Amino acid sequence: MEPIVNFIEYDYSEYDKIIRDLSRRYPVLSVKTVGKSVFGRSIKALTLGESDSTVLYTAAFHGNERITATVLLKFIEELCEAVTNGRRLSDVDIKRALLGKSVTFIPLVNPDGCEISLKGATGCGEKADWVKRLSCGRYENWKANLRGVDINHNFDAGWNALRETEQKNGIFGPAPAFFGGKRPHSEPETAALVDFCRSHTVRYVLSLHTQGEVIYWDYNNIPTHRGRRMAEIFAASSGYALDVPNALSLGGGFKDWFIETFHRPGFTVELGKGKNPLPAESGAEIYERIKEMLTVGLLM
C-alpha cells in the first residue's frame, strides 16, 4: 500500500484528510474532536488501544514547528500498520506492548498558527490585516495562535513569573511568539489539552517541538515517579541530550503544568537542528532518529 503520510508540506485540510484516511485504513485507530481553535478548526485526538489510562503524545504547539505534526502522524501510521499486521516496530512487538494500555495522539495542537506560518494572510480569515501588522509580513516565523498568544506560554505553571520575563524582553501583548496571554488557560487550544488531561488518567505526556535535539523533563524539581529515569531512556534511544530551558521558556508550558498538577512525568522533545521552520523533507531523518524513542515510550 502507498503510504498515507509523506515528508512534504501539509496545510490544515490536508492534515485533516490524513487523519480521516488513517482511521479508514486502520479501524484500530479511533478519532475524536477534543476542542476547536480560535478560528474554529478541529483539534483531534487519535487513540490506539483500550484502557482507562493513556499516554499522551502531542505536537505542533507552534505554527513554525508544524513539521512535528507530520513526524507524529508518520509514527501513528507505522504504529497502526504494525498493530494491524502483527509486525514489530523498532524491534518492539506493538500489539503485545499495547495489551491493556492505550496511547493518545494530538498531532495538531495549534492548527491556526500552522496555517499562518505556512500560508500567511490566507490562513487568518478576518484577522488577516491584524496578523500582517503584528508579524511585519514575516509569517513564516509565526508561533502563536490566531490571537497572538503562544500556547506553550499559556498554561498555569509559573505563569506570573513567565509574564514578568516576557515583559523584561519587551513582550507586553499579542505577538508572533512568546506572549502568554492575559491569563492562564485563556485560549481554546490550551483548554482542549487541560480538559483532556483532567477527564482522563494520563500516565505521562510527551510534546514534540523544534529544534535543538534536546529533551526537557524537569519542572521546579517536582518529584515524579520515574521521570528522570524515563528521560534518560528517551535520551539513550534518540541520542538527544537532557537539558534545561532558558528563562523565556521556563514555565507556562504544557509539560510544566502537567508535572505541577499531577506530579507525573512530562517531557518536551526539541526535534532536529537548524532554523525554524525546518524544511519538510528533513522530517524523514528526524523521524528515523526518534522512532525508537517514541516506540519505547509505549512500554512505560
Side-chain angles (χ1 to χ4, degrees):
M1 289 186 291
E2 288 293 316
I4 293 173
V5 183
N6 297 289
F7 292 105
I8 59 175
E9 289 284 12
Y10 293 111
D11 64 15
Y12 171 76
S13 64
E14 291 165 333
Y15 276 130
D16 201 47
K17 183 178 184 300
I18 285 172
I19 292 171
R20 290 197 307 271
D21 290 346
L22 286 172
S23 64
R24 287 170 183 157
R25 181 179 290 183
Y26 302 107
V28 293
L29 185 69
S30 65
V31 179
K32 68 176 181 179
T33 297
V34 294
K36 298 278 188 178
S37 69
V38 172
F39 193 82
R41 297 180 174 104
S42 294
I43 299 169
K44 293 183 177 177
L46 295 68
T47 301
L48 265 174
E50 297 181 7
S51 173
D52 292 335
S53 68
T54 192
V55 169
L56 179 60
Y57 288 0
T58 59
F61 281 77
H62 294 138
N64 65 350
E65 298 176 10
R66 59 189 174 274
I67 192 174
T68 59
T70 309
V71 168
L72 192 56
L73 285 164
K74 172 53 74 173
F75 179 64
I76 295 168
E77 180 177 17
E78 292 199 354
L79 204 59
C80 288
E81 196 277 335
V83 170
T84 301
N85 297 303
R87 295 179 182 169
R88 302 175 76 87
L89 190 61
S90 297
D91 206 30
V92 173
D93 184 333
I94 299 300
K95 185 176 284 189
R96 185 170 184 175
L98 287 175
L99 282 175
K101 297 179 181 178
S102 70
V103 56
T104 299
F105 307 91
I106 301 179
L108 207 61
V109 170
N110 181 13
D112 296 351
C114 292
E115 287 291 277
I116 293 168
S117 180
L118 178 65
K119 292 185 170 182
T122 60
C124 308
E126 63 184 18
K127 283 185 170 283
D129 290 342
W130 180 81
V131 169
K132 183 178 181 180
R133 290 196 300 273
L134 208 61
S135 66
C136 298
R138 298 185 64 184
Y139 299 107
E140 68 277 5
N141 296 325
W142 191 273
K143 298 178 70 172
N145 72 353
L146 190 55
R147 288 184 183 143
V149 175
D150 190 322
I151 300 304
N152 217 41
H153 278 219
N154 189 235
F155 288 88
D156 192 10
W159 185 88
N160 289 317
L162 179 59
R163 183 165 192 177
E164 291 180 6
T165 303
E166 291 169 0
Q167 291 174 349
K168 287 177 183 177
N169 283 271
I171 303 163
F172 294 92
F178 302 124
F179 175 59
K182 295 181 178 179
R183 65 183 186 282
H185 302 174
S186 61
E187 304 309 297
E189 298 89 351
T190 311
L193 291 183
V194 168
D195 291 347
F196 183 90
C197 291
R198 286 179 171 160
S199 60
H200 296 76
T201 301
V202 180
R203 300 197 304 276
Y204 75 87
V205 300
L206 187 148
S207 299
L208 302 182
H209 289 254
T210 60
Q211 42 80 29
E213 297 186 353
V214 295
I215 300 170
Y216 303 128
W217 65 277
D218 180 52
Y219 180 64
N220 277 352
N221 294 314
I222 295 172
T224 63
H225 179 56
R226 297 189 304 143
R228 171 77 191 206
R229 181 58 182 147
M230 290 173 67
E232 290 170 347
I233 292 170
F234 288 148
S237 60
S238 64
Y240 285 13
L242 300 185
D243 204 353
V244 293
N246 61 38
L248 199 54
S249 299
L250 185 60
F254 177 47
K255 70 97 173 157
D256 305 328
W257 170 81
F258 184 84
I259 290 172
E260 185 173 80
T261 302
F262 299 102
H263 284 232
R264 297 177 194 149
F267 308 93
T268 297
V269 183
E270 300 281 354
L271 308 184
K273 284 188 175 179
K275 181 180 178 181
N276 290 332
L278 298 177
E281 59 272 19
S282 69
E285 182 179 350
I286 290 170
Y287 174 63
E288 289 303 320
R289 180 86 177 269
I290 68 160
K291 179 165 62 173
E292 180 180 301
M293 179 192 73
L294 298 178
T295 307
V296 168
L298 303 178
L299 304 175
M300 294 189 286

